[in-house]
Amino acid sequence: MIKVSLISLGCAKNLVDSEIMIGHLHQAGMVVIPEAEKADVVIVNTCSFIDSSNEESIGHILEVHQQRGLKKRRQSQKLIVAGCMAQRFSKDLTTELHDEVDAFIGLDQVTKVAPIIEAIYAKERGADDAPASFIEGRSTYIPDYDTPRFRLTPRHFAYLKIAEGCTHPCTFCIIPQIRGRHRSRTVESVVAEARQLVREGVKELNLISQDTTFFGMDTWEQRPNSRTPVDSSRGTALTTLLRELNAIEGEFWIRLLYTHPAHWSDELIRTIAECPKVARYIDIPLQHISDSMLQKMQRETTGAYIRDLITRIRAGIPGIAIRTTFIVGFPGETEADVDELCEFIRTAKFERLGVFRYSQEEGTRAAKMEEQLPKKTKEARWHRLMKLQKEIAAQVSKSYVGRTLKVLVEEPGVARGEADAPDIDGRVYLPITAPVSEFATVRITGFEDYDLLALPVGQEPLVRKVARQAQ
Ligand code: F3S
């Protein structure tokens, strides 16, 4: 029996691809094990978002290769490189890593991983002439509700990929070139998978894609590309999907990740407000607020539009926590642009915020722009924003003290609230007695930076620990 080990890098979308690969390996009778050193085949599912992601991916590939060179029993081990970096650099990698890697597979081969492994062994036996690269052109694949999948997330939460690819023109981003044009699943397909996940005990469905708000819009005949404005009063496939997911029986959260600001509508705001299972949390990467930056980034939004949207979201969905990301150091960004961004952050008071230093990515339009900024300028601007957000985050955390909160217990003593997405946001620390993978109701007693401290409702703290208490 062939033993396979898989190293999954990058984002949640890549993780779902890894889960699909493992599902197909199981279906083909192969065994998937965590220890690379004991495997017959190692798959590295790579990320290629920015330079450092490529470096990390290459690091893992070379490490697997070196290890099999060192240990005799690993010398027959096969190495497969999958995912975004394989898809992006398929030609270069097949030349540069020809001796290290047995096969390269792209995003559309995730369901074919088992026959590809068979082909590698057949080639070794001389029975087949399998090529080193199985990547064929642009990615067009999209999973369905019955696609075999083995979840790698804990029992209580799952990622649900509702669409694949991206049709936006953002000048800094390489992902549309890697993952292909946006294509949505049907509402029926997503709902069928969600029902199954809830039956399996999942308490949190995290909806993901490159742009969740674009869900279903690729099928609108009158709106063939991402630049046509959305009719704000109109319902979309996403609002239909949210209402159908909300109607599934059971106690669970639905969390919306990766929403593009250009495609929000009043109907979407109303839908979230009216669907109690949709978490009071949204992830909306804004990237900047200065008009000149938004235009150079081709974000299809303006500063005025974004300010108005944030006001409408806060007014329409009471208690909403907003997560966003910004990029600093984009070509041509001035001190005045950064001042405007800081002022915006100060006023908008985002509950969760991440900052990226701009990365000049080969193959993007921004990479060819003049006025690229030095590393130290990017670094200084990054620190300025992070320092500002740390102060805001402390105010946000403090505002939770004394409140009663429903949390999802992740592991003994550690939970997450509605305002915290898995892997990226803060934690709620509570006594280890709370049952794991279940909801609990707690009272927030203190905080430490981005994390909250809690006790079961009715229990008083015996010792006041490091956390600052509410006055
Ligand atoms: Fe995700 Fe990295 Fe690909 S962020 S979409 S795995 S380039």
Side-chain angles (χ1 to χ4, degrees), residues 288-299 301-307 337 340:
H288 220 289
I289 194 66
S290 139
D291 280 339
S292 68
M293 285 295 101
L294 289 168
Q295 212 219 332
K296 284 183 109 182
M297 291 177 175
Q298 290 212 16
R299 287 289 295 165
T301 49
T302 63
Y305 169 86
I306 290 173
R307 287 184 172 91
D337 293 323
E340 188 181 350

Side-chain angles (χ1 to χ4, degrees), residues 7 58-59 89 96 113 138 184 206 216 239 266 287 302 311 351 427:
I7 299 166
I58 294 279
F89 296 114
E96 282 165 27
V113 62
R138 279 213 151 194
S184 302
N206 291 278
T239 56
D266 289 337
Q287 315 303 17
T302 63
T311 307
E351 284 76 8
R427 293 279 177 275

Side-chain angles (χ1 to χ4, degrees), residues 382-415:
W382 182 85
H383 280 291
R384 187 174 162 197
L385 260 67
M386 291 307 284
K387 185 165 175 271
L388 172 58
Q389 182 58 23
K390 201 169 175 194
E391 291 160 20
I392 295 168
Q395 293 168 24
V396 171
S397 294
K398 190 172 179 180
S399 72
Y400 278 96
V401 179
R403 281 169 57 185
T404 300
L405 218 61
K406 179 176 172 179
V407 295
L408 183 53
V409 183
E410 297 255 82
E411 55 187 273
V414 186

